Amino acid sequence: MTRSSYLFTSESVSEGHPDKVCDQISDSIVDLFLAADPVARVAVETLTTTNLIVLAGEVRSAEPVSPEQMTEVARQAVKTIGYEQDGFHWKNAEVICRVHGQSADIAQGVDAAGNKDEGAGDQGIMFGYACRETAALMPAPIYFSHQILKGLAEARHSGAEPGLAPDAKSQVTLRYENGTPVAATSVVVSTQHAAGLSQEDVRELVRPYVLKILPEGWMCPEADFYVNPTGTFVIGGPDGDAGLTGRKIIVDTYGGAAPHGGGAFSGKDPTKVDRSAAYACRYLAKNVVAAGVADRCTIQISYAIGVSKPLSLYVDLHGTGQVDESRLETLLAEVMNLSPRGIREHLKLNRPIYARTAAYGHFGREPDADGGFSWEKTDLADAIRGAF
């Protein structure tokens, strides 16, 4: 029997976290290539440490993109985040670019040819999830964790909180009663800060940003509100800890409240189903919940490299559904073409819209006018509702 009363925790990391720095650099390079060639192939990883940025991966583009352009984009991504520290500075860091052409063996499996449609860029399983815990149809712990850090980052960028520095983490634990979140039992925020600020200074600086995000009356007991529990956090970012693309996949999705297929998103063009099919699964799950036919929905899709047709489509409504799940599986395959090409065209993914996804979650965001976060639209809800 499913438990109805429990504690559940999710964490988030800021745009200045070393791994997130790498995700943003990698996705900025994806945008660089897609702006030059909308059907470019990109798989770029980034490594960062003290004043060093390493770019590696495979690309293919009809329009040339030089190592110098990639290097400049990497620097600008770091500048936008706000790193101008002795140990990690956008202008002074060494950038090593080891990006080369895509493997011909991979290309022949993915490319369309003759009667063969474009195949998946790799084998794998992808998941999507939605629930009614927040207006964004996201699990509350990860949603609140993201919003706390986003508020701190906005205050830092605006100059409202000059004592803040880019690197930060948050963690929110919520108490669930009868399957519904009702209060926070603990909140953890660790944020890099200017030298000279005490732990208590930082605690009071952070407090209003937590209170603003949590619903009224949900704040945890004072003894369970942890801010910079190690005491001092002046050395941060890649100078304090090495970073790597793709190491925060649970932060990127549902905070552990739903399964994850294992593939990272950042640094990959939309022919890679690790990214595009995960977006499609979220899109479908969100539309199912928005349609009112379930309060929770998990969707899984699987693929084989070089094969366009999904191998499987699975829907779980977690006992909250008002419709038959097998019928829903059939319907979803009808309302959206789930081949790699079909997903890209339906969600219009061949655009430079990815750098913005690389911090504060790929899901639970508002769709942008230029097509960013198109997978957060609920334009299939009426069709799903009408079919039943």
Side-chain angles (χ1 to χ4, degrees), residues 147-149 151-152 155 161 164 187-191 199-215 218-228:
Q147 294 305 310
I148 290 168
L149 293 184
L152 290 171
E161 299 290 358
L164 292 174
V187 175
V188 184
V189 179
S190 295
T191 180
Q199 185 180 24
E200 188 59 30
D201 291 336
V202 179
R203 182 186 185 88
E204 295 312 309
L205 185 158
V206 166
R207 187 189 299 274
Y209 295 93
V210 175
L211 291 172
K212 180 180 178 181
I213 296 303
L214 294 179
W218 280 39
M219 185 60 177
C220 65
E222 189 65 16
D224 298 304
F225 178 40
Y226 302 96
V227 176
N228 285 9

Side-chain angles (χ1 to χ4, degrees), residues 14-16 81 147-159 161 164-166 168 209 360:
S14 75
E15 64 204 59
I81 293 166
Q147 294 305 310
I148 290 168
L149 293 184
K150 201 170 182 182
L152 290 171
E154 289 169 355
R156 175 175 61 85
H157 283 298
S158 71
E161 299 290 358
L164 292 174
Y209 295 93
Y360 312 115

Side-chain angles (χ1 to χ4, degrees), residues 11-364:
E11 72 156 346
S12 179
V13 300
S14 75
E15 64 204 59
H17 184 279
D19 296 329
K20 275 289 147 211
V21 171
C22 295
D23 286 344
Q24 288 163 96
I25 292 172
S26 292
D27 272 340
S28 295
I29 291 174
V30 171
D31 286 351
L32 174 67
F33 274 89
L34 292 180
D37 176 9
V39 294
R41 301 286 194 265
V42 187
V44 171
E45 317 296 337
T46 303
L47 168 104
T48 56
T49 187
T50 302
N51 270 335
L52 177 65
I53 301 167
V54 180
L55 310 176
E58 305 80 43
V59 296
R60 188 181 71 191
S61 176
E63 295 296 326
V65 175
S66 69
E68 291 74 20
Q69 287 175 286
M70 287 184 265
T71 296
E72 181 58 24
V73 161
R75 292 193 187 281
Q76 289 303 312
V78 174
K79 182 180 182 181
T80 298
I81 293 166
Y83 276 113
E84 295 185 343
Q85 302 168 6
D86 289 342
F88 195 70
H89 196 297
W90 66 271
K91 190 174 183 179
N92 302 330
E94 179 185 5
V95 181
I96 299 173
C97 184
R98 292 292 185 269
V99 176
H100 58 80
Q102 184 187 51
S103 160
D105 290 347
I106 293 177
Q108 70 178 352
V110 176
D111 291 346
N115 293 325
K116 174 186 173 296
D117 194 9
E118 175 186 297
D122 203 349
Q123 69 176 47
I125 56 175
M126 296 83 208
F127 286 93
Y129 181 73
C131 64
R132 294 198 179 280
E133 293 179 15
T134 62
L137 303 185
M138 284 288 287
I142 185 67
Y143 186 76
F144 293 154
S145 295
H146 284 325
Q147 294 305 310
I148 290 168
L149 293 184
K150 201 170 182 182
L152 290 171
E154 289 169 355
R156 175 175 61 85
H157 283 298
S158 71
E161 299 290 358
L164 292 174
D167 196 356
K169 301 178 77 169
S170 65
Q171 185 171 285
V172 175
T173 301
L174 298 184
R175 184 174 79 251
Y176 284 71
E177 294 180 358
N178 299 317
T180 301
V182 296
T185 61
S186 68
V187 175
V188 184
V189 179
S190 295
T191 180
Q192 187 184 10
H193 59 86
L197 290 180
S198 69
Q199 185 180 24
E200 188 59 30
D201 291 336
V202 179
R203 182 186 185 88
E204 295 312 309
L205 185 158
V206 166
R207 187 189 299 274
Y209 295 93
V210 175
L211 291 172
K212 180 180 178 181
I213 296 303
L214 294 179
E216 186 174 357
W218 280 39
M219 185 60 177
C220 65
E222 189 65 16
D224 298 304
F225 178 40
Y226 302 96
V227 176
N228 285 9
T230 61
T232 301
F233 187 3
V234 174
I235 301 171
D239 186 31
D241 192 9
L244 191 67
T245 300
R247 284 205 299 204
K248 288 293 176 282
I249 60 176
I250 303 305
V251 169
D252 285 343
T253 56
Y254 309 102
H260 192 297
F265 301 158
S266 291
K268 299 175 181 177
D269 74 77
T271 66
K272 279 68 169 176
V273 285
D274 276 342
R275 178 169 225 156
S276 57
Y279 289 176
C281 287
R282 162 64 179 174
Y283 175 63
L284 292 177
K286 186 175 184 180
N287 276 272
V288 166
V289 174
V293 300
D295 292 333
R296 293 173 62 201
C297 179
T298 297
I299 293 177
Q300 184 206 58
I301 303 177
S302 67
Y303 293 87
I305 188 169
V307 179
S308 62
K309 182 180 178 181
L311 305 185
S312 64
L313 170 62
Y314 165 77
V315 175
D316 182 1
L317 301 180
H318 304 277
T320 70
Q322 302 177 33
V323 299
D324 179 73
E325 284 151 326
S326 62
R327 283 187 60 202
L328 185 56
E329 289 166 354
T330 300
L331 173 66
L332 294 180
E334 293 171 352
V335 297
M336 185 176 185
N337 177 352
L338 293 171
S339 70
R341 182 196 298 275
I343 292 170
R344 288 191 298 104
E345 292 179 350
H346 188 109
L347 296 177
K348 297 179 172 59
L349 297 180
N350 285 100
R351 292 183 281 192
I353 55 173
Y354 297 104
R356 71 193 75 170
T357 70
Y360 312 115
H362 293 245
F363 308 130

